[in-house]
Amino acid sequence: AFIMAVAMGRAVLVPLWLCWALGRTAPPNVVLLLMDDMGWGDLGAFGEPSKETPNLDQMASEGMIFLDFYAANPLCSPSRAALLTGRLPVRNGFYTTNAHARNAYTPQDIVGGIQDSEILLPELLKKAGYTNKIVGKWHLGHRPQFHPLKHGFDEWFGSPNCHFGPYDNRARPNIPVYRDWEMIGRYYEDFKIDLKTGESNLTQIYLQEALDFISKQQASQQPFFLYWAIDATHAPVYASKHFLGTSQRGRYGDAVREIDDSIGKILKHLQKLGISENTFVFFTSDNGAALISAPKEGGSNGPFLCGKQTTFEGGMREPAIAWWPGHIPAGGGIDFCPGQNVSGVTTHSQEDHSTLPLLFHLGRDPGEKYPLSFASDEYQGVMRRISAVVQQHKETMVPGVPQLNVCDKAVMNWSPPGCEKLGKCLEPPKSDPKKCFWSH
């Protein structure tokens, strides 16, 4: 899904879909709809039997559906960093050397984040005359130097971290919500999420932010990039009162239904303004459904094995849809795998398969239940081809400085910019940096 390009004197990976879109005569608007923990099997167009996503299913029928679309990592922060930089997490620094698996993300005690040396998609688009807005979860670092407006975005409404909480603001602060440079409140205090009922109006707020931005940019006749990165399907799952209790799939399904409705309104808004044929829309998810939150607050990865936090198909293969009327032709230690134990494949502890990796034939075995025998001619033949690619990768790889190694409670969201105006500044504890512990 990427090609190599050169930016500021170095090679970066650029999404093919973006190169194709920007290669047209008039620069199109770009809308990137990134879901949080939504699985390959959560949409009707991908076979979900309850068929509760009519707008996304219509988007798929009017555009192009990608059945073999992969994230760069099965965890939120490194996947998003790769999406926005076009570089693998091991190159852009979104990994850890604290454990063999290298999986990590950005909780609010993480010290690191996106480095200034990385070139993000909105930075490239800004040079091409675009106005860029992020709505929702950033998750590439919450400290001031990692702020999205310092990395190519012009506007932001959302939060630097996931909506975990509520916290007591003593041992741990509640997560802030930002309008551009400054916080305007905190989750659970000013932006309510009822953990008992699952009720929250956040998706409706994020929808209105998107609609208002699109209208403003259409009036200015300036191309825009909208990065709509909402997190309603990440546990604790939430939905607004109008959608709660409406899905056959429980609270998770309620959240999916509200997202589907919101995306339908975004697409209709583009059509109403007469700019749908000059707007490229791409829908996908950061990683597979979180089966550790299932069944009440986790989605479906369809026929694929496991989910979020694993590199099996269920963790890496994501739903993806491209929509552009007039241009894209229609039709086209923790148990992360509950109930899906496969002898010799899934484990509850980290296993090093570097020497003899598990290989599957996804044509014959899409559920990854039957690894090829190490002694078979098929395995040996594939390994000869793979080994050459791996060796080339190792010889040419320049790893980024790992950003996800050190945690310190002193760097949490105690006093974000703007807290003074709201009277919401909190006293941080004494700095005590330590190695982050990752169970992934």
Side-chain angles (χ1 to χ4, degrees):
F2 293 91
I3 64 171
M4 193 70 70
V6 175
M8 293 182 65
R10 69 172 186 176
V12 296
L13 288 170
V14 179
L16 277 175
W17 52 264
L18 182 64
C19 295
W20 177 49
L22 297 179
R24 304 283 169 154
T25 52
N29 307 310
V30 179
V31 177
L32 178 54
L33 307 167
L34 184 68
M35 302 301 102
D36 202 335
D37 292 3
M38 186 176 282
W40 189 95
D42 277 330
L43 310 185
F46 284 75
E48 206 291 313
S50 63
K51 303 289 185 184
E52 293 181 344
T53 52
N55 294 290
L56 282 163
D57 296 347
Q58 183 176 344
M59 179 184 177
S61 68
E62 293 174 354
M64 182 181 295
I65 192 169
F66 296 82
L67 298 176
D68 303 310
F69 189 86
Y70 290 86
N73 191 278
L75 205 55
C76 41
S77 299
S79 173
R80 292 161 190 260
L83 181 69
L84 291 180
T85 63
R87 282 157 53 83
L88 293 171
V90 72
R91 295 183 186 274
N92 63 39
F94 270 68
Y95 69 102
T96 180
T97 56
N98 292 358
H100 168 73
R102 299 192 175 190
N103 267 356
Y105 67 109
T106 53
Q108 62 167 326
D109 61 345
I110 198 77
V111 171
I114 194 70
Q115 301 173 85
D116 288 341
S117 57
E118 294 299 319
I119 303 166
L120 274 63
L121 173 58
E123 295 178 81
L124 296 175
L125 291 174
K126 179 177 277 193
K127 291 180 180 179
Y130 281 69
T131 299
N132 309 312
K133 177 161 185 167
I134 171 176
V135 175
K137 186 168 85 171
W138 170 236
H139 229 205
L140 300 189
H142 62 278
R143 300 173 72 194
Q145 64 266 40
F146 308 130
H147 194 290
L149 270 60
K150 289 189 175 181
H151 294 275
F153 286 101
D154 300 291
E155 300 180 26
W156 180 26
F157 182 89
S159 66
N161 309 92
C162 198
H163 57 276
F164 292 132
Y167 301 119
D168 61 7
N169 283 336
R170 293 187 296 274
R172 188 177 295 265
N174 281 315
I175 304 296
V177 175
Y178 279 74
R179 163 82 64 192
D180 298 332
W181 288 106
E182 297 184 342
M183 69 172 285
I184 56 173
R186 294 183 187 270
Y187 283 140
Y188 300 96
E189 299 172 20
D190 312 283
F191 294 88
K192 304 295 185 182
I193 304 172
D194 189 322
L195 295 183
K196 185 176 181 180
T197 66
E199 182 178 349
S200 176
N201 206 40
L202 280 168
T203 299
Q204 293 302 308
I205 296 172
Y206 293 148
L207 168 62
Q208 196 59 51
E209 287 289 325
L211 299 178
D212 291 346
F213 176 71
I214 291 170
S215 295
K216 181 176 70 173
Q217 293 309 121
Q218 190 273 338
S220 71
Q221 298 294 301
Q222 187 174 8
F224 65 83
F225 170 47
L226 172 63
Y227 178 41
W228 201 62
I230 64 171
D231 65 354
T233 45
H234 188 300
V237 170
Y238 60 79
S240 64
K241 187 174 183 179
H242 178 73
F243 288 92
L244 282 174
T246 64
S247 171
Q248 302 174 53
R249 304 178 63 198
R251 190 180 297 177
Y252 181 87
D254 296 339
V256 172
R257 289 202 65 211
E258 183 167 19
I259 289 170
D260 176 79
D261 181 79
S262 299
I263 290 174
K265 288 175 179 174
I266 290 173
L267 299 184
K268 288 181 177 66
H269 193 57
L270 294 171
Q271 293 169 328
K272 180 181 177 181
L273 294 176
I275 57 174
S276 60
E277 293 193 2
N278 193 41
T279 303
F280 176 77
V281 184
F282 196 81
F283 168 93
T284 190
S285 178
D286 59 350
N287 46 249
L291 299 187
I292 57 172
S293 302
K296 293 183 179 180
E297 299 201 352
S300 167
N301 296 311
F304 303 119
L305 182 64
C306 296
K308 178 181 180 178
Q309 301 172 353
T310 78
T311 51
F312 292 110
E313 289 291 288
M316 302 289 290
R317 194 188 294 208
E318 317 307 336
I321 304 169
W323 184 86
W324 192 3
H327 300 272
I328 296 177
I334 297 174
D335 186 358
F336 296 122
C337 316
Q340 295 189 336
N341 294 322
V342 180
S343 178
V345 176
T346 59
T347 63
H348 302 301
S349 60
Q350 290 188 11
E351 301 291 339
D352 187 350
H353 293 288
S354 302
T355 305
L356 286 174
L358 297 175
L359 299 182
F360 303 87
H361 190 298
L362 294 178
R364 300 192 302 261
D365 177 27
E368 294 176 291
K369 291 180 171 60
Y370 307 101
L372 301 182
S373 168
F374 297 144
S376 68
D377 291 340
E378 183 177 20
Y379 183 94
Q380 297 299 327
V382 172
M383 277 301 297
R384 281 192 291 273
R385 298 199 301 273
I386 291 177
S387 297
V389 176
V390 171
Q391 185 61 33
Q392 182 185 29
H393 166 73
K394 289 181 176 179
E395 290 173 354
T396 60
M397 223 269 289
V398 180
V401 177
Q403 295 295 299
L404 308 182
N405 280 352
V406 181
C407 289
D408 187 348
K409 287 187 177 181
V411 305
M412 289 181 176
N413 294 285
W414 300 103
S415 300
C419 67
E420 301 90 348
K421 298 177 184 177
L422 303 174
K424 287 184 174 289
C425 297
L426 302 169
E427 187 69 26
K430 184 179 178 180
S431 179
D432 183 23
K434 298 178 179 178
K435 270 191 172 184
C436 304
F437 171 73
W438 305 110
S439 60
H440 311 105

